[in-house]
Amino acid sequence: MDARHEDSEREPGSAAPGEGTPAGAPGVTGGTPLPGPRPAHEAAPRPAPEATGPDTGAAEEDAAERPAEPESPESGPVASAASQEPTSATAAPALPEEPTSATAAPAFPEEPTSAPAGLDGTESGTTAPLGYPGEDDCPGDGVPVGLAALSLRSQIAAALALAVVAVVACAHLGMVFLHVAPSNTVTKQHGRAIDDWIYPEFEQNWKLFAPNPLQQDIAVQVRALVRTEDGTSRETGWYDLSALDGLAIDGNPLPSHTQQNELRRAWDFYLGTHDGENRGVGLRGDLSERYLRRIGVLRLHREHAGGEGAVVERLQFRSLTTDVPPPRWSDEKVSDRPVVRELPWWAVPAGDRADGLTEASTR
């Protein structure tokens, strides 16, 4: 065979033995031709999923360089998969298969069906009973509760106490009803007992709910004629008792009944039982005068009127009544000058000057 015929039988792109690129040149390793750079439009072939091992890369290069040959019966599916080139340059790469066992997602732990021994009082392996919190703390049937759980003597004492409270409450409500009710046979016959129960702590005043409520500020003042320790007599200045009560109430979250109502109710009691000339009307006139006088002596003694050791011989009350100013949006006009009402001088009996005079004794 001549040289021309050999050249025609040699595959295109292969070099004859002893010719071509020397060993070590780019693209040649040990005289074996290597594939050159792939065109940009050709996609790199993806290795078959079954091909693994260190010789996989060399097998892919040989398969890429060899032209496609018709599949033979002896080649089988492995040879066909290794020699077949991709038909599309833009074929999307296949997604990796999901792991089946090694990287499977961890399953959530199942809820325990039995509580450990020692946590809820049950043995290991038994199912804990379901129920509401605190259900075990409820007393069982037949266990006495409340008053029934007390002894017989305690039950009798509790029953007597409840009966006394009920009787007193009913009696008080009855007295208040008879006090505010119109005059009737019961009030005419037992009026003195009703008044003794109501006055002065439970007296009812309906002025707040009247069509024309009280719109005046009344200040009650008192002065005294005292005898000092050296035997001389002198007259004190006016003591504003209403202002002193106001100072005691201001800032006090729980003021006493005395600080709030004693002086105010005593003055209203006096005005209701006396006329404009300070003359008593009925039998309660003298009672209201004595009540107001004893309050004045007690307050002067507490304020040390006339100095230490001074004795109150006579005293006098007066009131300063001032109209409450109307709001700014009102057209009502009232006078801002106080109206003064002075009571006559009252002599203080020896019984009102006793050392045992207390707040309760003035009532």
Side-chain angles (χ1 to χ4, degrees), residues 183-357:
S183 179
N184 52 68
T185 304
V186 178
T187 56
K188 291 178 180 179
Q189 185 176 358
H190 304 284
R192 185 62 181 270
I194 296 174
D195 291 342
D196 292 343
W197 179 274
I198 295 297
Y199 293 105
E201 286 82 3
F202 308 115
E203 183 179 359
Q204 304 300 309
N205 183 7
W206 304 105
K207 289 183 179 180
L208 178 63
F209 305 99
N212 188 20
L214 186 63
Q215 300 179 1
Q216 294 175 334
D217 185 10
I218 302 176
V220 180
Q221 300 177 353
V222 66
R223 64 178 177 178
L225 181 65
V226 298
R227 185 179 71 251
T228 60
E229 292 182 347
D230 56 3
T232 60
S233 298
R234 66 183 186 87
E235 185 178 309
T236 65
W238 290 100
Y239 288 86
D240 195 341
L241 303 183
S242 298
L244 294 175
D245 286 349
L247 291 176
I249 295 174
D250 189 16
N252 186 359
L254 297 174
S256 66
H257 171 74
T258 301
Q259 296 168 342
Q260 299 179 80
N261 301 320
E262 182 186 55
L263 180 63
R264 178 180 61 85
R265 300 303 303 135
W267 186 255
D268 290 344
F269 186 27
Y270 178 84
L271 297 181
T273 55
H274 289 73
D275 58 11
E277 300 297 329
N278 297 319
R279 292 175 298 189
V281 178
L283 298 178
R284 301 183 64 188
D286 181 65
L287 176 63
S288 63
E289 180 179 336
R290 289 188 291 109
Y291 182 51
L292 184 61
R293 183 180 66 241
R294 290 172 69 89
I295 291 177
V297 173
L298 178 65
R299 299 292 182 90
L300 290 173
H301 178 72
R302 190 170 61 190
E303 297 297 328
H304 304 288
E308 294 293 339
V311 178
V312 178
E313 294 183 336
R314 298 167 63 88
L315 57 80
Q316 184 184 23
F317 279 91
R318 76 174 183 181
S319 65
L320 302 178
T321 304
T322 307
D323 292 333
V324 177
R328 297 179 180 179
W329 47 264
S330 177
D331 297 333
E332 184 181 0
K333 302 295 182 180
V334 296
S335 175
D336 56 353
R337 299 183 60 182
V339 177
V340 181
R341 179 177 179 175
E342 289 189 0
L343 305 185
W345 284 91
W346 293 335
V348 179
D352 292 347
R353 298 193 301 264
D355 295 338
L357 185 62

Side-chain angles (χ1 to χ4, degrees), residues 19-31:
E19 296 179 359
T21 307
V28 180
T29 303

Side-chain angles (χ1 to χ4, degrees), residues 66-88:
R66 289 195 304 270
E69 297 178 358
E71 185 176 353
S72 60
E74 294 83 4
S75 59
V78 177
S80 175
S83 61
Q84 186 178 2
E85 292 185 357
T87 58
S88 175

